[in-house]
Amino acid sequence: MAVLEISDLVVARDPGTGARLDVHRAEVAARLRDAGDERAARIVERIPAVNGVLDPAAVDRLLVRVHTELQRLNEELHMARRFAEVLRPILAAARQAGVTPLRVVDIGCGLGFVLRSLAASGVLGEDVELVGVDFNPALIAEASRLARHERLRCRFFVADAFALPGHATVYLSNGVLHHFAADALPSFFRAQDRPGTQAFLHYDVAATPLAPLGAWVFHRARMREPLGRHDGVASARRAHGDRVLLDAAAHADGMDVFLFEPVRHANPFCAAMRPVVGLRPALVDGVRRALGRRARGLVTVPARAQR
């Protein structure tokens, strides 16, 4: 039976125009019950509605609150540091190869926590432009407001993950891959195989047998919004196996693809998130040199059990 996340169902947009569409509360609740998720249906039935249509303003406020809690989780998981660990070697190799300008684009950026953290630390260098895109205008508006308040050099735009505007030296994402069905992943990766793009770096939940239990404990302890608690566990249950991710990423024909795994004992919660990495072949040796001993973590055959 399909595992559904509430956040994927309470907002709908016209794929052609991007205009927001009505979402009928009873239809969402019925879909969740059909999937065997009574708890999720009850959560949706508590979201305000007008004439049976979910109140857009209430939904937006709810999603901003959930993403604010997610930001705290990402802080505890040291996600910005983990992105920087791989991004810095990639950008160093790109500079060595004479690539310019350098732009990092975060797909499905939510409130832009990763980019805002990278901008605040300056760890990537002054020559790197930081851009975030997300399908949800409410999240982009909040990300932009926070960046202005924090006086950070990063920008945010509304965009579809499968029709990205502009260009990027490196595409990245954090907890986005599991939102797509396995048969949609090849298109997601293929869309990033563009002239000028040197790499991609996509972190998501590692699909281990204990991931749902770990997600339940972690989200129960740290999140207060019922929607966030529900979707956190659903994310772990929906996570794609390593082989699925590597096979899908290989559809970016011009990239060599890897997983990046810890080469030493790590905080188990941090190890629960791991990235799939795509590199232009000309960049691989330079990235390995820049990673040093950590280059052993770049693998094409995952060590953990597959599912």
Side-chain angles (χ1 to χ4, degrees):
M1 192 170 289
V3 178
L4 303 175
E5 290 185 58
I6 299 169
S7 55
D8 288 342
L9 305 178
V10 294
V11 176
R13 296 194 178 277
D14 184 296
T17 65
R20 190 162 188 158
L21 304 176
D22 288 346
V23 177
H24 294 269
R25 185 168 62 184
E27 292 178 3
V28 176
R31 188 173 172 187
L32 289 164
R33 287 197 170 93
D34 288 345
D37 198 338
E38 175 64 27
R39 176 172 172 261
R42 291 199 300 270
I43 292 171
V44 169
E45 287 171 342
R46 291 197 291 272
I47 300 175
V50 178
N51 298 324
V53 175
L54 290 173
D55 179 352
V59 170
D60 286 348
R61 289 194 297 270
L62 173 59
L63 293 180
V64 168
R65 290 199 301 275
V66 168
H67 278 263
T68 300
E69 292 190 332
L70 280 173
Q71 174 172 314
R72 298 189 191 111
L73 287 186
N74 282 307
E75 290 171 351
E76 295 189 19
L77 292 172
H78 304 286
M79 288 309 301
R81 180 181 63 79
R82 299 177 72 78
F83 271 100
E85 178 184 24
V86 187
L87 276 172
R88 291 180 65 186
I90 291 174
L91 292 169
R95 290 188 186 95
Q96 187 69 27
V99 176
T100 186
L102 299 175
R103 177 181 291 171
V104 172
V105 174
D106 183 355
I107 303 171
C109 64
L111 300 186
F113 163 72
V114 170
L115 286 189
R116 288 168 35 230
S117 297
L118 293 171
S121 68
V123 68
L124 300 184
E126 293 292 320
D127 59 336
V128 180
E129 182 184 8
L130 301 173
V131 178
V133 299
D134 198 288
F135 188 63
N136 189 321
L139 299 180
I140 288 297
E142 182 64 4
S144 300
R145 185 191 70 80
L146 291 168
R148 286 194 302 272
H149 178 73
E150 295 159 348
R151 299 181 179 181
L152 297 174
R153 292 179 55 250
C154 49
R155 301 181 294 133
F156 298 94
F157 301 96
V158 176
D160 186 327
F162 293 85
L164 296 163
H167 76 280
T169 311
V170 184
Y171 288 105
L172 61 85
S173 71
N174 182 26
V176 168
L177 298 179
H178 67 267
H179 286 281
F180 305 134
D183 60 5
L185 285 173
S187 296
F188 174 77
F189 286 106
R190 196 181 299 117
Q192 297 162 43
D193 188 8
R194 298 177 166 200
T197 299
Q198 302 299 313
F200 55 71
L201 172 63
H202 299 292
Y203 266 93
D204 210 318
V205 181
T208 64
L210 290 178
L213 175 60
W216 185 88
V217 172
F218 203 46
H219 286 80
R220 190 75 184 175
R222 295 302 189 193
M223 299 193 78
R224 295 294 172 265
E225 287 290 344
L227 187 153
R229 288 180 170 181
H230 173 275
D231 281 8
V233 178
S235 297
R237 295 175 62 200
R238 298 174 72 188
H240 298 291
D242 294 338
R243 190 73 266 162
V244 171
L245 292 177
L246 286 172
D247 288 347
H251 284 258
D253 293 334
M255 301 281 189
D256 290 348
V257 297
F258 309 87
L259 293 176
F260 186 66
E261 298 185 329
V263 295
R264 60 182 178 182
H265 179 72
N267 181 323
F269 287 119
C270 293
M273 297 289 287
R274 56 93 185 83
V276 58
V277 181
L279 299 170
R280 291 290 180 203
L283 234 61
V284 172
D285 288 345
V287 172
R288 287 189 181 280
R289 284 194 297 274
L291 279 169
R293 296 179 61 184
R294 292 169 298 163
R296 290 178 295 162
L298 277 178
V299 298
T300 55
V301 180
R304 62 172 53 90
Q306 299 297 296
R307 78 175 193 180

